């Protein structure tokens, strides 16, 4: 069965520091991969997506993610975080030709001064 | 651009009563609509997927008898939570898709008293 694992439930970083949120997936083929952000009491906002091609994808607000087929990973990164980045981040996959999305458990990011 | 609206944004119902929520796609044709639930402190679970000209497919642990869905045209879908109880509380997301990307609405937050 397809699955998405976000091993870190909570991450705390200092403002201005770099960030990496981890995401591992399980799927026999190459999936479509997504990162979403959920601000308090709101829905999901798409940060970036990977369908094919260049394994490094750029997203909104200077986020980027790197797809690794060998590691079955799609880690999210940002060079310098801002306090406004505090939110819950979800990694998700969609299987080729299938409209179903499978979400990870989410990582709660807290940015401190 | 493509937008997905959900109504209502927040709702409260008494235990044992029912609650209907709506999803509207604007700017694209929603050939498929997926309904997800995020229970408190949890990730998003797929309830069901509705695709035009196909039967609505419910995920394990979710049934049509509990979550009837209507998808009458390419811009609208509704879902009812019948006989709601405490375990049904959470954020209900609608994801609407044409042949490309899936767009998520802001969600309907259901509180059950």
């Amino acid at each position: 069965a397809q699955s998405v694992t976000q091993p870190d439930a909570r991450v705390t970083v200092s403002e201005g520091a770099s960030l990496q949120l981890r995401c591992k997936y399980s799927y026999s083929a190459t999936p479509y991969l997504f990162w979403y952000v959920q601000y308090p009491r709101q829905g999901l906002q798409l940060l970036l997506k990977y369908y094919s091609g260049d394994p490094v994808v750029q997203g909104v607000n200077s986020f980027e993610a790197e797809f690794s087929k060998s590691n079955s990973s799609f880690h999210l990164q940002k060079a310098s975080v801002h306090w406004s980045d505090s939110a819950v981040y979800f990694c998700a996959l969609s299987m080729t030709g299938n409209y179903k999305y499978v979400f990870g458990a989410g990582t709660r990011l807290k940015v401190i001064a | 651009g493509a937008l997905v609206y959900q109504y209502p944004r927040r709702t409260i119902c008494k235990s044992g009563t029912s609650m209907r929520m709506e999803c509207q796609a604007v700017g694209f044709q929603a050939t498929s609509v997926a309904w997800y639930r995020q229970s408190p402190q949890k990730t998003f679970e797929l309830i069901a997927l509705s695709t035009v000209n196909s039967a609505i497919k419910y995920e394990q642990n979710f049934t049509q008898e509990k979550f009837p869905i209507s998808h009458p045209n390419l811009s609208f879908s509704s879902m009812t939570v019948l006989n709601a109880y405490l375990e049904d509380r959470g954020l209900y997301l609608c994801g609407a898709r044409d042949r490309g990307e899936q767009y998520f609405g802001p969600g309907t937050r259901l509180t059950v008293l």
Side-chain angles (χ1 to χ4, degrees):
Chain A
Q2 302 78 25
S3 66
V4 176
T5 301
Q6 295 179 246
D8 305 307
R10 295 176 183 270
V11 170
T12 300
V13 296
S14 298
E15 191 168 21
S18 63
L19 170 72
Q20 182 185 72
L21 300 182
R22 297 184 290 165
C23 173
K24 300 267 291 185
Y25 69 88
S26 174
Y27 180 50
S28 55
T30 300
Y32 299 152
L33 293 161
F34 308 84
W35 274 99
Y36 288 89
V37 60
Q38 183 183 33
Y39 295 102
R41 311 200 71 75
Q42 294 187 25
L44 290 177
Q45 297 179 29
L46 179 65
L47 280 179
L48 47 78
K49 60 191 176 187
Y50 172 79
Y51 286 169
S52 64
D54 189 340
V56 179
V57 291
Q58 306 295 325
V60 300
N61 295 337
S62 303
F63 282 97
E64 68 174 35
E66 183 169 3
F67 167 68
S68 171
K69 188 172 183 177
S70 60
N71 293 325
S72 297
S73 67
F74 189 56
H75 300 329
L76 181 71
Q77 300 175 78
K78 187 171 183 177
S80 176
V81 296
H82 187 263
W83 65 268
S84 60
D85 293 324
S86 296
V88 182
Y89 291 78
F90 291 93
C91 181
L93 73 79
S94 173
M95 295 151 279
T96 306
N98 189 320
Y99 295 167
K100 172 182 176 178
Y101 278 40
V102 177
F103 288 88
T107 297
R108 183 175 298 275
L109 172 66
K110 183 177 181 180
V111 180
I112 58 176
Chain B
L3 292 171
V4 176
Y5 295 97
Q6 288 189 249
Y7 311 99
R9 292 292 306 274
R10 300 173 183 274
T11 186
I12 300 172
C13 68
K14 291 183 178 180
S15 182
T17 64
S18 299
M19 174 60 214
R20 180 173 181 264
M21 52 193 74
E22 300 180 348
C23 173
Q24 178 117 29
V26 176
F28 68 104
Q29 293 187 324
T31 56
S32 75
V33 174
W35 286 91
Y36 296 83
R37 179 174 72 187
Q38 183 188 35
S39 299
Q41 308 303 318
K42 294 189 177 180
T43 192
F44 295 90
E45 294 180 277
L46 179 65
I47 296 171
L49 179 64
S50 172
T51 304
V52 170
N53 298 325
S54 296
I56 298 172
K57 185 177 179 184
Y58 286 82
E59 292 291 292
Q60 195 172 11
N61 299 326
F62 297 98
T63 66
Q64 183 181 6
E65 291 71 31
K66 173 71 174 178
F67 300 96
I69 290 170
S70 171
H71 189 184
N73 56 53
L74 292 174
S75 64
F76 181 83
S77 176
S78 67
M79 184 179 75
T80 302
V81 181
L82 292 175
N83 198 19
Y85 284 99
L86 191 62
E87 59 265 27
D88 294 318
R89 63 192 171 130
L91 182 68
Y92 288 80
L93 273 192
C94 163
R97 180 172 176 166
D98 54 14
R99 295 179 182 179
E101 186 173 327
Q102 180 161 180
Y103 301 96
F104 288 99
T108 293
R109 187 168 296 281
L110 174 62
T111 299
V112 181
L113 300 178

